[in-house]
Coordinates of all heavy atoms in Angstrom, one line a residue:
V1 N 14.6 -38.8 25.1 CA 15.0 -39.5 23.9 C 16.2 -38.9 23.3 O 16.3 -37.7 23.2 CB 13.8 -39.5 22.9 CG1 14.2 -40.1 21.6 CG2 12.5 -40.1 23.5
A2 N 17.2 -39.8 23.0 CA 18.4 -39.3 22.4 C 18.2 -38.9 21.0 O 17.4 -39.6 20.2 CB 19.5 -40.4 22.5
V3 N 18.8 -37.8 20.5 CA 18.8 -37.4 19.2 C 19.8 -38.1 18.4 O 21.0 -38.0 18.7 CB 18.9 -35.9 19.1 CG1 18.9 -35.4 17.6 CG2 17.9 -35.1 19.9
T4 N 19.4 -38.7 17.3 CA 20.4 -39.5 16.4 C 20.2 -39.0 15.0 O 19.3 -38.1 14.7 CB 20.1 -41.0 16.5 OG1 18.8 -41.2 15.9 CG2 20.1 -41.5 17.9
D5 N 21.0 -39.4 14.1 CA 20.9 -39.0 12.7 C 19.5 -39.5 12.1 O 19.0 -38.8 11.3 CB 22.0 -39.7 11.9 CG 23.3 -38.9 12.0 OD1 23.3 -37.7 12.4 OD2 24.4 -39.5 11.7
L6 N 19.0 -40.6 12.7 CA 17.7 -41.1 12.2 C 16.5 -40.2 12.6 O 15.5 -40.1 11.9 CB 17.5 -42.5 12.6 CG 18.5 -43.5 12.1 CD1 18.3 -44.9 12.7 CD2 18.4 -43.6 10.6
N7 N 16.6 -39.6 13.8 CA 15.4 -38.9 14.3 C 15.7 -37.4 14.4 O 14.8 -36.6 14.9 CB 15.0 -39.4 15.6 CG 16.0 -39.2 16.8 OD1 17.0 -38.5 16.6 ND2 15.6 -39.7 17.9
K8 N 16.8 -36.9 14.0 CA 17.1 -35.4 14.1 C 16.2 -34.5 13.4 O 15.8 -33.5 13.9 CB 18.6 -35.1 13.8 CG 18.9 -35.3 12.3 CD 20.4 -35.0 12.1 CE 20.8 -35.3 10.7 NZ 22.3 -35.2 10.5
S9 N 15.7 -34.9 12.2 CA 14.8 -34.1 11.5 C 13.4 -34.0 12.2 O 12.9 -32.9 12.3 CB 14.6 -34.7 10.1 OG 13.6 -33.9 9.4
K10 N 12.9 -35.1 12.7 CA 11.7 -35.1 13.5 C 11.9 -34.3 14.8 O 11.0 -33.5 15.2 CB 11.3 -36.5 13.8 CG 10.0 -36.6 14.5 CD 9.5 -38.0 14.7 CE 8.2 -38.1 15.4 NZ 7.7 -39.4 15.7
Y11 N 13.0 -34.4 15.4 CA 13.3 -33.6 16.6 C 13.3 -32.1 16.3 O 12.6 -31.4 17.0 CB 14.7 -34.0 17.2 CG 15.1 -33.1 18.3 CD1 14.5 -33.3 19.6 CD2 15.9 -32.1 18.2 CE1 14.9 -32.5 20.7 CE2 16.3 -31.2 19.2 CZ 15.8 -31.4 20.5 OH 16.1 -30.6 21.5
V12 N 13.9 -31.7 15.2 CA 13.9 -30.3 14.9 C 12.5 -29.8 14.6 O 12.1 -28.7 15.0 CB 14.9 -30.0 13.7 CG1 14.7 -28.6 13.2 CG2 16.3 -30.3 14.1
Q13 N 11.8 -30.6 13.8 CA 10.4 -30.2 13.5 C 9.6 -30.1 14.8 O 8.8 -29.1 14.9 CB 9.8 -31.2 12.6 CG 10.3 -31.1 11.2 CD 9.8 -32.2 10.3 OE1 9.2 -33.2 10.7 NE2 10.1 -32.1 9.0
S14 N 9.7 -31.0 15.7 CA 9.0 -30.9 17.0 C 9.4 -29.7 17.8 O 8.5 -29.1 18.4 CB 9.2 -32.2 17.8 OG 8.8 -33.4 17.1
R15 N 10.6 -29.4 17.8 CA 11.1 -28.2 18.6 C 10.6 -26.9 18.0 O 10.1 -26.0 18.7 CB 12.6 -28.2 18.7 CG 13.2 -29.3 19.6 CD 13.0 -29.1 21.0 NE 13.6 -27.8 21.4 CZ 13.1 -27.0 22.4 NH1 12.0 -27.4 23.1 NH2 13.7 -25.9 22.7
V16 N 10.6 -26.8 16.7 CA 10.1 -25.6 16.0 C 8.7 -25.5 16.3 O 8.2 -24.4 16.6 CB 10.4 -25.7 14.5 CG1 9.7 -24.7 13.7 CG2 11.9 -25.6 14.2
Q17 N 7.9 -26.6 16.2 CA 6.5 -26.5 16.4 C 6.2 -26.0 17.9 O 5.3 -25.2 18.1 CB 5.8 -27.9 16.2 CG 4.4 -28.0 16.5 CD 3.5 -27.2 15.6 OE1 3.9 -26.9 14.4 NE2 2.3 -26.9 16.0
E18 N 6.9 -26.6 18.8 CA 6.7 -26.2 20.2 C 7.1 -24.7 20.4 O 6.3 -24.0 21.1 CB 7.6 -27.1 21.1 CG 7.6 -26.7 22.6 CD 6.3 -26.7 23.2 OE1 5.3 -27.4 22.8 OE2 6.1 -25.9 24.2
V19 N 8.2 -24.3 19.9 CA 8.7 -22.9 20.2 C 7.8 -21.9 19.5 O 7.4 -20.9 20.0 CB 10.2 -22.8 19.8 CG1 10.6 -21.3 19.8 CG2 11.0 -23.6 20.7
L20 N 7.5 -22.2 18.2 CA 6.7 -21.2 17.4 C 5.2 -21.2 17.6 O 4.6 -20.2 17.5 CB 7.1 -21.3 16.0 CG 8.5 -21.0 15.6 CD1 8.7 -21.2 14.1 CD2 9.0 -19.6 16.0
V21 N 4.7 -22.4 17.9 CA 3.2 -22.5 18.1 C 2.8 -22.9 19.5 O 2.0 -22.3 20.1 CB 2.7 -23.5 17.0 CG1 1.2 -23.7 17.2 CG2 3.0 -23.1 15.6
G22 N 3.4 -24.0 20.0 CA 3.0 -24.5 21.3 C 3.1 -23.5 22.4 O 2.1 -23.4 23.2
R23 N 4.2 -22.8 22.5 CA 4.3 -21.9 23.6 C 3.5 -20.6 23.4 O 3.3 -19.8 24.4 CB 5.8 -21.4 23.7 CG 6.7 -22.5 24.1 CD 8.1 -22.0 24.2 NE 9.1 -23.1 24.5 CZ 10.4 -23.0 24.6 NH1 10.9 -21.8 24.4 NH2 11.1 -24.0 24.8
R24 N 3.0 -20.4 22.2 CA 2.1 -19.2 22.0 C 0.7 -19.6 21.7 O -0.1 -18.8 21.2 CB 2.7 -18.5 20.7 CG 4.1 -18.0 21.0 CD 4.7 -17.5 19.7 NE 6.0 -16.8 19.8 CZ 7.1 -17.4 20.0 NH1 7.2 -18.7 20.0 NH2 8.2 -16.7 20.2
A25 N 0.3 -20.8 22.0 CA -1.0 -21.3 21.7 C -2.1 -20.4 22.3 O -3.1 -20.1 21.6 CB -1.2 -22.7 22.2
D26 N -2.0 -20.0 23.5 CA -3.0 -19.1 24.1 C -3.1 -17.8 23.4 O -4.2 -17.3 23.1 CB -2.7 -18.9 25.6 CG -2.9 -20.1 26.5 OD1 -3.5 -21.1 26.0 OD2 -2.4 -20.1 27.6
Q27 N -2.0 -17.2 23.1 CA -2.0 -15.9 22.4 C -2.5 -16.0 21.0 O -3.3 -15.2 20.5 CB -0.6 -15.3 22.4 CG -0.1 -14.9 23.7 CD 0.6 -16.0 24.4 OE1 0.5 -17.2 24.1 NE2 1.3 -15.7 25.5
L28 N -2.1 -17.1 20.2 CA -2.6 -17.3 18.9 C -4.1 -17.6 18.9 O -4.8 -17.1 18.0 CB -1.9 -18.5 18.2 CG -0.4 -18.2 18.0 CD1 0.3 -19.5 17.5 CD2 -0.2 -17.1 16.9
G29 N -4.6 -18.3 19.9 CA -6.0 -18.6 20.0 C -6.8 -17.3 20.3 O -7.9 -17.1 19.7
A30 N -6.2 -16.4 21.1 CA -6.9 -15.1 21.4 C -7.0 -14.3 20.1 O -8.0 -13.6 19.8 CB -6.2 -14.4 22.5
L31 N -5.9 -14.2 19.3 CA -5.9 -13.5 18.0 C -7.0 -14.1 17.1 O -7.8 -13.3 16.5 CB -4.5 -13.6 17.4 CG -3.4 -12.7 17.9 CD1 -2.1 -13.1 17.3 CD2 -3.8 -11.2 17.6
R32 N -7.0 -15.4 17.0 CA -8.0 -16.0 16.1 C -9.4 -15.7 16.6 O -10.3 -15.3 15.8 CB -7.8 -17.5 16.1 CG -8.9 -18.2 15.2 CD -8.8 -19.7 15.3 NE -7.5 -20.2 14.8 CZ -6.9 -21.2 15.4 NH1 -7.4 -21.9 16.4 NH2 -5.7 -21.6 14.9
Q33 N -9.7 -15.8 17.9 CA -11.0 -15.4 18.4 C -11.4 -14.0 18.1 O -12.5 -13.7 17.7 CB -11.0 -15.7 19.9 CG -12.4 -15.4 20.5 CD -12.4 -15.7 22.0 OE1 -11.4 -16.2 22.6 NE2 -13.5 -15.3 22.7
G34 N -10.4 -13.1 18.3 CA -10.7 -11.7 18.0 C -11.0 -11.4 16.6 O -11.9 -10.6 16.3
W35 N -10.3 -12.1 15.7 CA -10.5 -11.9 14.3 C -11.9 -12.4 13.9 O -12.6 -11.9 13.1 CB -9.5 -12.6 13.4 CG -8.1 -11.9 13.5 CD1 -7.9 -10.6 13.7 CD2 -6.9 -12.5 13.3 NE1 -6.5 -10.4 13.7 CE2 -5.9 -11.5 13.4 CE3 -6.5 -13.8 13.0 CZ2 -4.5 -11.8 13.3 CZ3 -5.1 -14.1 12.8 CH2 -4.2 -13.1 13.0
Q36 N -12.3 -13.6 14.5 CA -13.6 -14.2 14.2 C -14.7 -13.3 14.8 O -15.7 -13.1 14.1 CB -13.6 -15.6 14.7 CG -12.8 -16.6 14.0 CD -12.6 -17.9 14.6 OE1 -13.0 -18.1 15.8 NE2 -12.1 -18.9 13.9
E37 N -14.5 -12.8 16.0 CA -15.6 -12.0 16.6 C -15.7 -10.7 15.9 O -16.8 -10.1 15.8 CB -15.3 -11.8 18.1 CG -15.4 -13.0 18.9 CD -15.1 -12.8 20.4 OE1 -14.7 -11.7 20.8 OE2 -15.1 -13.8 21.2
G38 N -14.6 -10.2 15.4 CA -14.7 -8.9 14.7 C -15.1 -9.1 13.2 O -15.1 -8.1 12.5
G39 N -15.3 -10.3 12.8 CA -15.7 -10.5 11.4 C -14.6 -10.4 10.4 O -14.9 -10.2 9.2
L40 N -13.4 -10.5 10.9 CA -12.2 -10.3 10.0 C -11.7 -11.5 9.4 O -10.9 -11.5 8.5 CB -11.1 -9.5 10.8 CG -11.4 -8.1 11.3 CD1 -10.3 -7.6 12.1 CD2 -11.7 -7.2 10.1
G41 N -12.0 -12.7 10.0 CA -11.4 -14.0 9.6 C -11.5 -14.2 8.1 O -10.5 -14.5 7.5
H42 N -12.6 -14.0 7.5 CA -12.8 -14.2 6.1 C -11.9 -13.2 5.2 O -11.3 -13.6 4.3 CB -14.2 -14.0 5.6 CG -14.5 -14.2 4.2 ND1 -14.3 -15.4 3.5 CD2 -14.7 -13.2 3.2 CE1 -14.6 -15.2 2.2 NE2 -14.8 -13.9 2.0
H43 N -11.8 -12.0 5.7 CA -11.0 -11.0 4.9 C -9.5 -11.2 5.0 O -8.7 -10.9 4.2 CB -11.3 -9.6 5.5 CG -12.8 -9.2 5.3 ND1 -13.4 -9.0 4.1 CD2 -13.8 -9.1 6.2 CE1 -14.6 -8.7 4.2 NE2 -14.9 -8.8 5.5
L44 N -9.1 -11.9 6.1 CA -7.6 -12.1 6.3 C -7.1 -13.2 5.5 O -5.9 -13.3 5.3 CB -7.4 -12.4 7.8 CG -7.6 -11.2 8.8 CD1 -7.4 -11.7 10.2 CD2 -6.6 -10.1 8.4
Q45 N -8.0 -14.0 4.9 CA -7.6 -15.1 4.0 C -6.8 -14.7 2.8 O -6.1 -15.4 2.2 CB -8.8 -16.0 3.6 CG -9.4 -16.7 4.8 CD -10.6 -17.5 4.4 OE1 -11.1 -17.4 3.2 NE2 -11.2 -18.2 5.3
V46 N -7.0 -13.4 2.4 CA -6.4 -12.9 1.2 C -4.9 -12.5 1.4 O -4.1 -12.3 0.5 CB -7.1 -11.7 0.5 CG1 -8.5 -12.1 0.2 CG2 -7.1 -10.5 1.5
F47 N -4.5 -12.4 2.7 CA -3.2 -12.0 3.1 C -2.2 -13.2 3.1 O -2.6 -14.3 3.6 CB -3.1 -11.3 4.4 CG -3.8 -10.0 4.4 CD1 -5.1 -9.8 5.0 CD2 -3.2 -8.9 3.8 CE1 -5.7 -8.6 5.0 CE2 -3.8 -7.6 3.8 CZ -5.1 -7.5 4.4
S48 N -1.0 -13.0 2.7 CA 0.0 -14.0 2.9 C 0.5 -14.0 4.3 O 0.2 -13.0 5.0 CB 1.2 -13.8 1.9 OG 1.9 -12.6 2.3
C49 N 1.3 -14.9 4.7 CA 1.9 -14.9 6.0 C 2.8 -13.7 6.2 O 2.7 -13.0 7.3 CB 2.8 -16.2 6.2 SG 3.6 -16.3 7.8
T50 N 3.5 -13.3 5.2 CA 4.4 -12.1 5.3 C 3.5 -10.8 5.4 O 3.8 -9.9 6.2 CB 5.2 -12.0 4.0 OG1 6.0 -13.2 3.9 CG2 6.2 -10.8 4.1
D51 N 2.4 -10.8 4.7 CA 1.5 -9.6 4.8 C 0.9 -9.5 6.2 O 0.9 -8.4 6.8 CB 0.3 -9.8 3.8 CG 0.7 -9.7 2.4 OD1 1.8 -9.1 2.1 OD2 0.0 -10.2 1.5
L52 N 0.5 -10.6 6.8 CA 0.0 -10.6 8.2 C 1.1 -10.2 9.2 O 0.8 -9.5 10.1 CB -0.6 -12.0 8.5 CG -1.9 -12.3 7.8 CD1 -2.3 -13.7 8.1 CD2 -3.0 -11.3 8.2
M53 N 2.3 -10.7 9.0 CA 3.4 -10.3 9.9 C 3.6 -8.8 9.8 O 3.7 -8.1 10.9 CB 4.6 -11.1 9.6 CG 4.6 -12.5 10.0 SD 6.0 -13.5 9.4 CE 7.4 -12.4 9.7
L54 N 3.6 -8.2 8.7 CA 3.8 -6.8 8.5 C 2.6 -6.0 9.1 O 2.8 -5.0 9.8 CB 3.9 -6.4 7.0 CG 4.2 -5.0 6.7 CD1 5.5 -4.5 7.3 CD2 4.3 -4.8 5.2
L55 N 1.4 -6.6 8.9 CA 0.2 -5.9 9.5 C 0.2 -5.9 11.0 O -0.1 -4.9 11.6 CB -1.0 -6.7 8.9 CG -2.4 -6.2 9.4 CD1 -2.7 -4.8 8.9 CD2 -3.5 -7.1 9.0
L56 N 0.6 -7.0 11.6 CA 0.6 -7.2 13.0 C 1.8 -6.6 13.7 O 1.7 -6.0 14.8 CB 0.5 -8.6 13.4 CG -0.9 -9.3 13.1 CD1 -0.8 -10.8 13.4 CD2 -2.0 -8.7 13.8
C57 N 3.0 -6.7 13.1 CA 4.2 -6.3 13.7 C 4.8 -5.0 13.2 O 5.7 -4.5 13.9 CB 5.2 -7.5 13.6 SG 4.6 -9.0 14.2
G58 N 4.4 -4.6 12.1 CA 5.0 -3.4 11.5 C 6.3 -3.7 10.7 O 6.7 -4.9 10.6
E59 N 6.9 -2.7 10.3 CA 8.2 -2.8 9.6 C 9.3 -3.4 10.5 O 9.4 -3.1 11.6 CB 8.7 -1.5 9.1 CG 7.8 -0.8 8.0 CD 8.0 -1.5 6.7 OE1 9.0 -2.1 6.4 OE2 7.1 -1.3 5.8
E60 N 10.1 -4.3 9.9 CA 11.3 -4.8 10.6 C 12.4 -3.8 10.8 O 13.2 -3.8 11.7 CB 11.8 -6.1 10.0 CG 10.9 -7.3 10.2 CD 11.6 -8.5 9.7 OE1 12.8 -8.6 9.7 OE2 10.9 -9.4 9.2
H61 N 12.4 -2.9 9.8 CA 13.5 -1.9 9.7 C 12.9 -0.5 9.7 O 12.1 -0.3 8.8 CB 14.4 -2.2 8.5 CG 15.5 -1.1 8.4 ND1 16.6 -1.0 9.1 CD2 15.5 -0.1 7.5 CE1 17.3 0.0 8.8 NE2 16.7 0.6 7.8
L62 N 13.3 0.4 10.5 CA 12.9 1.7 10.5 C 14.1 2.6 10.2 O 15.2 2.4 10.8 CB 12.3 2.2 11.8 CG 11.0 1.6 12.2 CD1 10.6 2.1 13.6 CD2 9.9 2.0 11.3
D63 N 14.0 3.5 9.2 CA 15.1 4.4 9.0 C 14.7 5.8 9.5 O 13.6 6.0 10.0 CB 15.5 4.5 7.5 CG 14.4 4.9 6.6 OD1 13.5 5.6 7.1 OD2 14.5 4.7 5.4
A64 N 15.6 6.7 9.5 CA 15.4 8.0 10.1 C 14.3 8.8 9.4 O 13.5 9.5 10.0 CB 16.7 8.9 10.0
H65 N 14.2 8.6 8.1 CA 13.1 9.3 7.3 C 11.7 8.8 7.8 O 10.8 9.6 7.9 CB 13.3 9.0 5.8 CG 14.5 9.6 5.2 ND1 14.7 10.9 5.1 CD2 15.6 9.0 4.7 CE1 15.8 11.1 4.5 NE2 16.4 10.0 4.3
M66 N 11.6 7.5 8.0 CA 10.3 7.0 8.5 C 9.9 7.6 9.9 O 8.8 7.9 10.1 CB 10.3 5.5 8.6 CG 10.5 4.8 7.2 SD 10.9 3.1 7.3 CE 9.2 2.4 7.7
V67 N 10.9 7.7 10.7 CA 10.7 8.2 12.1 C 10.3 9.7 12.0 O 9.4 10.2 12.6 CB 11.9 8.0 13.0 CG1 11.7 8.7 14.3 CG2 12.1 6.5 13.2
I68 N 11.1 10.5 11.2 CA 10.8 11.9 11.0 C 9.4 12.1 10.5 O 8.7 13.0 11.0 CB 11.8 12.5 10.1 CG1 13.2 12.5 10.8 CG2 11.4 14.0 9.7 CD1 14.4 12.9 9.9
E69 N 8.9 11.3 9.6 CA 7.6 11.5 9.0 C 6.5 11.2 10.1 O 5.4 11.8 10.0 CB 7.4 10.6 7.8 CG 8.1 11.0 6.6 CD 7.9 10.0 5.5 OE1 6.8 9.3 5.5 OE2 8.7 9.9 4.5
L70 N 6.8 10.3 11.0 CA 5.7 9.9 11.9 C 5.7 10.5 13.3 O 4.8 10.5 14.0 CB 5.7 8.4 12.0 CG 5.5 7.6 10.8 CD1 5.7 6.1 10.9 CD2 4.1 7.8 10.3
V71 N 6.9 11.1 13.7 CA 7.0 11.6 15.0 C 6.1 12.8 15.2 O 6.0 13.7 14.3 CB 8.5 11.9 15.4 CG1 9.0 13.1 14.7 CG2 8.6 12.0 16.9
E72 N 5.5 12.9 16.4 CA 4.7 14.0 16.8 C 5.0 14.4 18.2 O 5.1 13.5 19.1 CB 3.2 13.7 16.6 CG 2.7 13.5 15.2 CD 1.2 13.2 15.2 OE1 0.5 13.4 16.2 OE2 0.7 12.9 14.1
F73 N 5.3 15.6 18.4 CA 5.6 16.1 19.8 C 4.4 16.7 20.4 O 3.8 17.6 19.8 CB 6.8 17.1 19.8 CG 8.0 16.4 19.3 CD1 8.4 16.6 18.0 CD2 8.8 15.6 20.1 CE1 9.6 16.0 17.5 CE2 10.0 15.0 19.6 CZ 10.4 15.3 18.3
S74 N 4.0 16.3 21.6 CA 2.9 16.8 22.3 C 3.2 18.2 22.9 O 4.3 18.3 23.6 CB 2.4 15.9 23.4 OG 1.6 16.5 24.3
P75 N 2.3 19.2 22.7 CA 2.6 20.5 23.3 C 2.6 20.4 24.8 O 3.2 21.2 25.5 CB 1.5 21.4 22.8 CG 0.7 20.6 21.8 CD 1.2 19.2 21.9
V76 N 1.9 19.4 25.4 CA 1.9 19.3 26.8 C 3.3 18.9 27.3 O 3.8 19.4 28.4 CB 0.9 18.2 27.2 CG1 0.9 17.9 28.7 CG2 -0.5 18.6 26.8
D77 N 3.9 18.0 26.6 CA 5.3 17.5 27.0 C 6.4 18.4 26.5 O 7.4 18.4 27.2 CB 5.5 16.0 26.5 CG 4.5 15.1 27.0 OD1 4.1 15.2 28.2 OD2 4.1 14.2 26.3
W78 N 6.2 19.0 25.4 CA 7.3 19.8 24.8 C 6.7 21.2 24.5 O 6.1 21.4 23.4 CB 7.8 19.2 23.5 CG 8.4 17.8 23.8 CD1 7.8 16.6 23.6 CD2 9.7 17.6 24.4 NE1 8.7 15.6 24.0 CE2 9.8 16.1 24.5 CE3 10.7 18.3 24.9 CZ2 10.9 15.5 25.1 CZ3 11.8 17.7 25.5 CH2 11.9 16.3 25.5
P79 N 6.8 22.2 25.3 CA 6.3 23.5 25.1 C 7.0 24.1 23.8 O 8.0 23.7 23.3 CB 6.8 24.3 26.3 CG 7.2 23.3 27.3 CD 7.5 22.1 26.6
D80 N 6.3 25.0 23.2 CA 6.7 25.7 21.9 C 8.1 26.2 22.0 O 8.9 26.2 21.0 CB 5.8 26.7 21.4 CG 4.4 26.2 21.0 OD1 4.4 25.0 20.6 OD2 3.4 26.9 21.0
H81 N 8.5 26.7 23.2 CA 9.8 27.3 23.3 C 10.9 26.3 23.5 O 12.1 26.7 23.5 CB 9.8 28.3 24.4 CG 9.6 27.7 25.8 ND1 8.3 27.5 26.3 CD2 10.5 27.2 26.7 CE1 8.5 26.9 27.5 NE2 9.7 26.8 27.8
S82 N 10.6 25.0 23.6 CA 11.6 24.0 23.8 C 12.4 23.7 22.5 O 11.8 23.5 21.5 CB 11.0 22.7 24.4 OG 12.0 21.7 24.4
S83 N 13.7 23.6 22.6 CA 14.5 23.3 21.4 C 14.7 21.8 21.3 O 15.2 21.4 20.2 CB 15.8 24.1 21.5 OG 16.6 23.6 22.6
T84 N 14.3 21.0 22.3 CA 14.6 19.6 22.2 C 14.0 18.9 21.0 O 14.7 18.1 20.4 CB 14.1 18.9 23.6 OG1 14.8 19.6 24.7 CG2 14.5 17.5 23.6
P85 N 12.7 19.1 20.7 CA 12.1 18.4 19.5 C 12.9 18.7 18.3 O 13.2 17.9 17.4 CB 10.7 18.9 19.5 CG 10.4 19.3 20.9 CD 11.7 19.8 21.5
H86 N 13.3 20.0 18.1 CA 14.0 20.4 16.9 C 15.4 19.8 16.9 O 15.9 19.3 15.8 CB 14.1 21.9 16.8 CG 12.8 22.6 16.8 ND1 11.9 22.5 15.7 CD2 12.1 23.3 17.7 CE1 10.8 23.2 16.0 NE2 10.9 23.7 17.2
Q87 N 16.0 19.7 18.0 CA 17.3 19.1 18.1 C 17.3 17.6 17.8 O 18.1 17.0 17.1 CB 18.0 19.3 19.5 CG 18.3 20.7 19.7 CD 18.8 21.0 21.1 OE1 18.7 20.1 22.0 NE2 19.3 22.2 21.4
L88 N 16.2 16.9 18.3 CA 16.0 15.5 18.0 C 15.8 15.3 16.4 O 16.4 14.4 15.9 CB 14.9 14.9 18.8 CG 14.5 13.5 18.5 CD1 15.7 12.6 18.8 CD2 13.3 13.0 19.3
L89 N 15.0 16.1 15.8 CA 14.8 16.0 14.4 C 16.0 16.3 13.6 O 16.3 15.6 12.6 CB 13.6 16.9 13.9 CG 12.2 16.5 14.5 CD1 11.2 17.6 14.1 CD2 11.8 15.1 13.9
D90 N 16.8 17.2 14.1 CA 18.1 17.5 13.4 C 19.0 16.3 13.5 O 19.7 16.0 12.5 CB 18.7 18.8 14.0 CG 18.0 20.1 13.6 OD1 17.2 20.0 12.6 OD2 18.3 21.1 14.3
L91 N 19.0 15.7 14.7 CA 19.9 14.5 14.9 C 19.5 13.4 13.9 O 20.3 12.7 13.3 CB 19.8 14.1 16.3 CG 20.5 12.7 16.6 CD1 22.0 12.9 16.5 CD2 20.2 12.3 18.1
L92 N 18.2 13.2 13.8 CA 17.7 12.1 12.9 C 18.0 12.4 11.5 O 18.4 11.5 10.7 CB 16.1 11.9 13.1 CG 15.7 11.4 14.4 CD1 14.2 11.5 14.6 CD2 16.1 9.9 14.5
R93 N 17.9 13.7 11.1 CA 18.3 14.0 9.7 C 19.8 13.8 9.5 O 20.2 13.3 8.4 CB 17.9 15.5 9.5 CG 16.5 15.7 9.3 CD 16.1 17.2 8.9 NE 14.7 17.4 9.1 CZ 14.2 18.0 10.2 NH1 14.9 18.5 11.2 NH2 12.9 18.2 10.2
E94 N 20.6 14.1 10.5 CA 22.0 13.8 10.4 C 22.3 12.3 10.3 O 23.1 11.9 9.5 CB 22.7 14.4 11.6 CG 24.2 14.2 11.5 CD 24.9 15.0 10.4 OE1 24.4 16.0 10.0 OE2 26.0 14.5 9.9
L95 N 21.6 11.5 11.0 CA 21.7 10.1 11.0 C 21.4 9.6 9.6 O 22.0 8.6 9.1 CB 20.9 9.4 12.0 CG 21.4 9.6 13.5 CD1 20.3 9.0 14.4 CD2 22.7 9.0 13.7
S96 N 20.3 10.1 9.0 CA 19.9 9.7 7.7 C 20.9 10.0 6.6 O 21.1 9.3 5.6 CB 18.5 10.2 7.3 OG 18.6 11.6 7.1
R97 N 21.6 11.1 6.8 CA 22.7 11.4 5.8 C 23.9 10.5 5.9 O 24.6 10.2 5.0 CB 23.2 12.9 6.0 CG 22.2 13.9 5.5 CD 22.9 15.3 5.5 NE 23.0 15.8 6.8 CZ 22.1 16.6 7.4 NH1 21.0 16.9 6.8 NH2 22.3 17.1 8.6
N98 N 24.1 9.9 7.1 CA 25.2 9.0 7.3 C 24.9 7.6 6.9 O 25.8 6.7 6.9 CB 25.6 9.0 8.8 CG 26.2 10.4 9.2 OD1 26.7 11.1 8.4 ND2 26.1 10.7 10.5
D99 N 23.7 7.3 6.6 CA 23.3 5.9 6.2 C 23.9 5.5 4.8 O 24.0 6.1 3.9 CB 21.8 5.7 6.1 CG 21.2 5.4 7.5 OD1 22.0 5.1 8.4 OD2 20.0 5.5 7.7

């Protein structure tokens, strides 16, 4: 079907629906089923769409301070005598000063 001035709005709405919902129907269904089985469905009703996006996806923007607060180095991967973790944290601190 050709897109014209008369049907362009409907076309855009259809494409948005397909891309954002249609292609993800299986995944969205699995999320819904998990929330229902876990008894969370009722509790999630109090969240806005933005709240749920943040809950599921996390912050859109991370800064150096956030990373520094959350990073943990495993002693198995980084022995106590290794300077790499300290150098990485110093680099992150330097990046945060340049923001």
